[in-house]
Amino acid sequence: MLEVRDLTVRFGGITALDRVSFSAAAGRIVGLIGPNGAGKTTLFNCLSRLYRCDEGDILFEGRSLLRTPAHGIAALGIARTFQNLALFRTMSVRQNILLGAHSRAAGGFVAHALRLPRVRAQERALAAQADEIVELLELGPVAGRRVADLPFGTLKRVELGRALASRPKLLLLDEPAGGLNHEEVGGLMELLRGIRERLSLSLLLVEHHMNLVMRISDQVVALNFGRKIADGTPDEVRHDAELVKAYLGNA
Ligand code: ATP
């Protein structure tokens, strides 16, 4: 489903990604790990076309993402969450999730704007899609509440819901466990497994919470100083000497 080929990104004298290659099969959970500055966010920003890449390519279902404009990424079926939550704070939980549902359908919405019955049918379908996500993430009790009034742990779920509402084939999760307490991380783990089963999508997550990554991922890709240093099952990667050294230094 996803193939990253020799991806290289430079910022002036810094090589943030240095010929990184890996592939991920459909329906898998792939964890992307590495110390600070390893290049994880840069890779995410390339996948969502926020950054320009210098060399290499990214293929999604055989199609080059680097030749797809940034606004075409959602239509291909790729969605992402942001560490700094991309939510409209004065709108309700349900309105935020509904906007997420619109993000993939936007092209079709404009194209059919003059055919009102069709637009109404589409509106109904998107509302049903948003309601399904509200239910899946157990956000029903707060669906009508203003985002600004809710606790951080709930907002992380709304952010997940906003991205899921577009019914992506590939969901990029940027530190989903960041800022969550121990109990919330346990809930997130169950939630992500449930989402993968119920919506049959693929997940690529950048995460510092090693316990979460190792327990939930089918495949783990590790970066260090922009280079891929390990790629395999959690068990294979856990004992990789270069990875252990990258995290612990020479201590
Ligand atoms: P963290 O876990 O701390 O978020 P990361 O693995 O996501 O780190 P990146 O943010 O991708 O790492 O950074 C990789 C390298 O690229 C770093 O040296 C960083 O300073 C540099 N870098 C990233 N984005 C930019 C940018 N927009 N301009 C200049 N340098 C950048």
Side-chain angles (χ1 to χ4, degrees):
M1 156 175 263
L2 181 71
E3 195 183 339
V4 175
R5 279 190 193 159
D6 290 324
L7 200 66
T8 299
V9 178
R10 299 185 194 94
F11 298 106
I14 296 169
T15 303
L17 290 177
D18 189 0
R19 285 167 290 140
V20 170
S21 298
F22 69 92
S23 49
R28 307 197 99 194
I29 299 182
V30 181
L32 189 59
I33 61 170
N36 292 332
K40 307 178 297 293
T41 307
T42 301
L43 179 57
F44 251 42
N45 285 340
C46 289
L47 282 163
S48 41
R49 300 288 283 117
L50 293 176
Y51 279 180
R52 163 198 60 74
C53 306
D54 292 289
E55 284 158 40
D57 206 350
I58 305 171
L59 302 181
F60 178 66
E61 297 186 322
R63 181 196 294 242
S64 168
L65 287 190
L66 303 191
R67 279 186 235 122
T68 305
H71 65 264
I73 294 295
L76 287 184
I78 301 176
R80 74 171 284 180
T81 65
F82 290 86
Q83 240 172 293
N84 302 324
L85 312 184
L87 298 171
F88 291 96
R89 295 179 60 76
T90 56
M91 292 169 79
S92 74
V93 166
R94 189 173 182 283
Q95 283 169 327
N96 269 280
I97 291 178
L98 190 56
L99 278 175
H102 270 282
S103 66
R104 187 165 175 188
F109 185 82
V110 172
H112 299 300
L114 296 174
R115 298 190 207 159
L116 222 46
R118 198 157 175 176
V119 170
R120 285 198 186 119
Q122 191 179 29
E123 281 291 300
R124 279 196 297 275
L126 293 178
Q129 225 166 279
D131 288 339
E132 189 194 351
I133 298 299
V134 165
E135 182 246 325
L136 181 63
L137 300 188
E138 296 173 3
L139 287 167
V142 293
R145 298 268 304 276
R146 230 166 55 115
V147 156
D149 302 332
L150 295 169
F152 184 73
T154 308
L155 295 189
K156 291 283 274 194
R157 255 186 307 141
V158 180
E159 171 74 355
L160 180 59
R162 178 196 55 72
L164 276 177
S166 66
R167 299 303 298 267
K169 297 178 196 167
L170 172 65
L171 177 60
L172 310 173
L173 296 170
D174 197 352
E175 297 203 25
L180 298 185
N181 62 35
H182 183 71
E183 198 181 315
E184 288 170 332
V185 171
L188 176 70
M189 219 167 330
E190 291 309 310
L191 199 59
L192 294 180
R193 286 201 186 105
I195 285 167
R196 191 252 301 257
E197 293 307 313
R198 184 138 154 212
L199 303 179
S200 57
L201 78 175
S202 311
L203 297 168
L204 178 62
L205 63 138
V206 164
E207 189 49 74
H208 281 290
H209 197 294
M210 223 30 85
N211 188 29
L212 174 91
V213 174
M214 292 302 182
R215 284 181 61 186
I216 202 177
S217 304
D218 303 301
Q219 177 185 352
V220 175
V221 175
L223 301 177
N224 192 26
F225 292 118
R227 283 191 312 112
K228 185 177 90 171
I229 56 169
D231 182 355
T233 64
D235 268 348
E236 286 164 352
V237 164
R238 202 189 309 269
H239 304 294
D240 186 281
E242 202 176 346
L243 180 74
V244 172
K245 194 171 148 206
Y247 272 99
L248 301 180
N250 291 314

